[in-house]
Every structure is written in C-alpha cells, then in structure tokens.
Amino acid sequence: MKNKLITTILLMVCITSYVRAQEISYTYDEVLRMGDDATTEEYFFSPLDFLVSDQDGNIFVGSQRLNLIRKYNSDGQHIIDFGGRGRGPGEFIAISSLFIDLSNDQLVVVDRISMRASFFTLHGEYKTSHEFSFEDNMIISPWIGRAGENDHYYLLYRLPQIPGQALDYNDFILHEFDLEMNHISSFVHASIFGDLNDASVNSLIGGPTTGFFEFLSGERLVVVPYLYTGELYLYEYSAGSGWQFHRTLQEPIPQEVHRQIDANTAPEYARITGTPEGPVARLVFSESVGMHFIEGGMLAHYSFQRNDDYLGEFSVSIFDLETGEYLGTTIISELNEEVPEPQQLSPIAPVRGIHFNNGKLYFIDNRSEESHVVVGEVIYEEE
C-alpha cells in the first residue's frame, strides 16, 4: 500500500515594492495508498466522495452511492463499516458531507435529502441525530460542513432561488448552527462564487460545484469558489459583529476559467446545466480542489488547470494570511504522472476531498478507473 514519492520546489516571493529572495521548500512524501486491491470489498472505493481523518490518523470515507461510512486506521487497515441506506437512526439517504467535531470527539454525517445531521463516536457508534432548523421550513440541500472553534457547525448550501425572479440580496450561502442544528446566522453572499446574472454559472452555485471553505486558527475562515478565478476570500469573526469579510487573497490565473459551448455538440466531459432558456454546456478550465492552513500563518490552495485538450495539471499556491500576499505556485509533479488505466475525461477534477491533518495530506485520487485513498506527508519550510 505504500509508494514513496518526494519532491522539493522553490518559490520566489514577490512583494509589491521590492523583491526579496525567500526559499520555501514543499516536500510531498506519499506514505499510504489504498485501493489497488479493488477486488476486496473493503478497499473498493469507486465511486468515493468524502474523506476525513481524526487526530490519531484514522481515516473515514463515505460514498453517496453506498451511503456507508468505512473506517481505517493510520496504516490503512480496515476497522469497521457503519451507517447504510435508510431513514432509521444512523442511516442515510444521501450523504453530502463528513466532518469531525474534535471538541466533542464525534463524527458528523450530513444527509442532504433527509435534511439532518447524524452524530457518531469516533469508534462508529451512533449517538443521535438532529434535523436542520430553518425559518419558514425552507428546503435546503447542504453539501459541505465544518465544525468551528466556537462550538458551532457551519453548512454550505443555497436557499431555493426561483428562476426568473429578481435576485435576492439576502442570497447567503454559508450558514451557522448550534450543536442541535438550530440556525443561528447566514453570511458569505453567493455572488463571490460566480456571476449570478449568468444562468448556467448561477445554476452551479449551491451544489457540489459551489466551492469550499476551511477554518483557520483564531476564528477565521477562507472561502474559495469552485470556478477558480485566482481569488480566495478571508473572513474573521468578532463577538460584536459576527462573521465579516476581511480581505481577498489573489493569484494570477494565466488562462480562461470557463467557456460556454453549444450544448447540442458538447463532449461528454462538458458540464451541462438546465436554465430557463434551455440547456447550457460549459467547459471548466480552472477548478479549485481544496486548501488548508499552514503553521506560520500561510495558506496552501490546490487547483487543477486544464488545457484545450481538457487534460490538466495540479498545482499548489501559497499565500501569506497576515499580509494577503501571494507567494507563488508550483506544479505537483507526482499528481501529474501517468497512471495505469486512466479514467476517461471528466467534468470534475480527478483529485478531490483535500483534507490536511497533523502534517499529512489526505485526498481521493480518481485519476485511474478505480478510486484510491492517498495519504502524504507534507512539509513547508522557509530556508
């Protein structure tokens, strides 16, 4: 299961008023890969949608198709399965998010169809569940969840938008809940995720192609759109005013982000969405894959940049969170190497589920026909 790969790159940091030479080494060392033995049920991951790890390095993976959670230890040994399809306690209709609440030592599983969160111990034992509480009994479809430092939960979803009606200035997409899933507040306007006046772009916002958010230390969070224009948005929390926008982090993207094409002649890997005017096809060339905080006040953001052949390469960009400066980008060569039995071209980047914990990078590798769970040690050092 182990396949060690190491690379080191140097980034030059450009400051607006002057240039100073600063070397930052990025070392990626793959220490675990699961999924090569796809004939064994416990290691058959296709398709795989969600992945998290706890403080001991145990790995939890989830699939919308199976509606099952599988737990592995830090060496990749299968420990237990729990959950399953259904509407009973500890069962799911459509898993849409996994996240670990370290403060309460529990795994939270979000079901976007049942509109509830189920709570398990980190040993896989069912504890309880709570339905989402929102004004006017609105139907919501959460896709991403996180546990914040303030002992609250945060879900990314969009309240229903009726086609043809005027855009709602209260169109917020990040929502805060207490431990029993009672709604507290909403913030982050949907407009940062794309052009709301573009019907096909607008239709991508609110589901799995909306974007990502991650909590940082000190009651801060960063939001990034799936259609990656090079901009990330930093928010900070204060007791008096709640969550407020603080600054934009930005890097240059030397290519177009997406392109609309004829839906009647669109290839299979195009994203086709329904609009009031009919189906619209779009090729996406710049996608956000995920991000994580780096000790020392930096942020690593991973993206997938495609070319006109719709092949692409993965890269990591580094930002200084204190100054907002973009420090540089490098290609991650290991994730751009040829793989046996490569997956056919897809509208979604073949690496997903980026999760960082205790110096290790966890992600789902869908470059091959069979999905893999990958763990790599990552080290960032100023030299």
Side-chain angles (χ1 to χ4, degrees):
M1 292 183 183
K2 296 188 178 180
N3 179 22
K4 183 172 288 189
L5 296 168
I6 301 176
T7 186
T8 300
I9 57 91
L10 300 180
L11 303 178
M12 300 300 294
V13 182
C14 298
I15 310 301
T16 302
S17 57
Y18 62 97
V19 176
R20 63 185 172 91
Q22 180 186 31
E23 294 180 347
I24 300 176
S25 65
Y26 170 101
T27 305
Y28 171 86
D29 180 359
E30 185 175 298
V31 296
L32 178 66
R33 177 175 288 269
M34 297 188 293
D36 286 325
D37 187 11
T39 58
T40 303
E41 181 180 357
E42 290 82 2
Y43 294 92
F44 177 71
F45 297 118
S46 296
L48 185 61
D49 301 292
F50 313 104
L51 176 153
V52 292
S53 66
D54 63 18
Q55 290 299 93
D56 295 324
N58 296 307
I59 304 168
F60 301 81
V61 301
S63 165
Q64 292 187 68
R65 181 177 65 85
L66 298 176
N67 281 295
L68 190 71
I69 309 299
R70 288 193 165 127
K71 178 182 178 181
Y72 304 83
N73 68 14
S74 58
D75 293 324
Q77 296 177 330
H78 178 257
I79 298 176
I80 191 174
D81 291 347
F82 56 97
R85 185 171 182 82
R87 295 186 180 274
E91 297 177 332
F92 321 106
I93 298 300
I95 296 174
S96 61
S97 185
L98 306 179
F99 60 95
I100 290 179
D101 175 3
L102 292 177
S103 298
N104 297 287
D105 291 323
Q106 59 188 7
L107 175 72
V108 186
V109 184
V110 180
D111 187 326
R112 68 182 183 88
I113 299 298
S114 297
M115 290 191 292
R116 69 182 181 184
S118 297
F119 300 81
F120 298 83
T121 70
L122 297 182
H123 299 291
E125 300 161 345
Y126 173 73
K127 296 173 65 177
T128 189
S129 62
H130 296 294
E131 294 183 356
F132 307 123
S133 172
F134 211 97
E135 293 87 348
D136 301 323
N137 294 317
M138 287 186 171
I139 294 180
I140 60 177
S141 185
W143 284 97
I144 302 176
R146 298 285 186 268
E149 290 185 357
N150 58 359
D151 225 15
H152 288 171
Y153 298 138
Y154 295 80
L155 301 179
L156 188 152
Y157 60 84
R158 194 177 189 188
L159 294 177
Q161 301 293 304
I162 301 175
Q165 288 193 356
L167 296 177
D168 186 352
Y169 68 92
N170 289 320
D171 190 3
F172 296 112
I173 206 160
L174 203 55
H175 308 274
E176 179 183 10
F177 291 79
D178 66 16
L179 294 180
E180 295 183 349
M181 303 310 294
N182 297 302
H183 177 248
I184 297 174
S185 68
S186 298
F187 60 105
V188 180
H189 198 269
S191 58
I192 76 167
F193 294 96
D195 182 3
L196 302 185
N197 294 307
D198 183 326
S200 65
V201 171
N202 195 11
S203 65
L204 294 176
I205 302 171
T209 53
T210 300
F212 303 95
F213 72 97
E214 291 289 348
F215 283 98
L216 312 174
S217 61
E219 294 189 318
R220 299 179 297 171
L221 65 85
V222 172
V223 180
V224 58
Y226 158 72
L227 298 174
Y228 186 54
T229 63
E231 294 184 329
L232 302 90
Y233 303 91
L234 176 63
Y235 286 74
E236 293 187 346
Y237 182 85
S238 65
S241 54
W243 287 99
Q244 299 291 323
F245 171 74
H246 180 61
R247 73 158 48 100
T248 300
L249 310 174
Q250 187 166 7
E251 66 168 300
I253 298 295
Q255 64 180 63
E256 62 182 329
V257 175
H258 52 86
R259 180 193 307 159
Q260 185 171 323
I261 59 176
D262 187 347
N264 295 317
T265 59
E268 292 184 358
Y269 51 83
R271 294 201 62 85
I272 300 180
T273 54
T275 72
E277 292 76 31
V280 173
R282 191 172 296 276
L283 298 178
V284 177
F285 295 101
S286 178
E287 301 166 72
S288 176
V289 178
M291 56 189 163
H292 62 78
F293 178 66
I294 306 171
E295 292 296 332
M298 294 186 292
L299 178 78
H301 174 257
Y302 298 81
S303 63
F304 188 55
Q305 305 292 323
R306 301 181 190 262
N307 54 33
D308 280 333
D309 294 329
Y310 224 59
L311 301 173
E313 55 189 10
F314 290 90
S315 63
V316 56
S317 300
I318 311 298
F319 298 87
D320 187 319
L321 291 168
E322 302 306 319
T323 65
E325 292 169 326
Y326 160 65
L327 304 183
T329 299
T330 189
I331 305 302
I332 305 175
S333 59
E334 292 85 354
L335 297 184
N336 297 303
E337 295 176 345
E338 291 292 330
V339 295
E341 299 182 0
Q343 186 186 77
Q344 297 297 313
L345 293 178
S346 167
I348 301 294
V351 167
R352 59 188 304 183
I354 292 286
H355 174 72
F356 189 74
N357 182 22
N358 287 334
K360 291 184 178 179
L361 189 69
Y362 300 76
F363 60 91
I364 301 163
D365 187 346
N366 286 329
R367 292 176 298 162
S368 300
E369 288 293 337
E370 306 296 341
S371 296
H372 290 76
V373 172
V374 181
V375 182
E377 292 182 344
V378 176
I379 301 174
Y380 300 86
E381 292 180 317
E382 293 189 14
E383 298 182 344

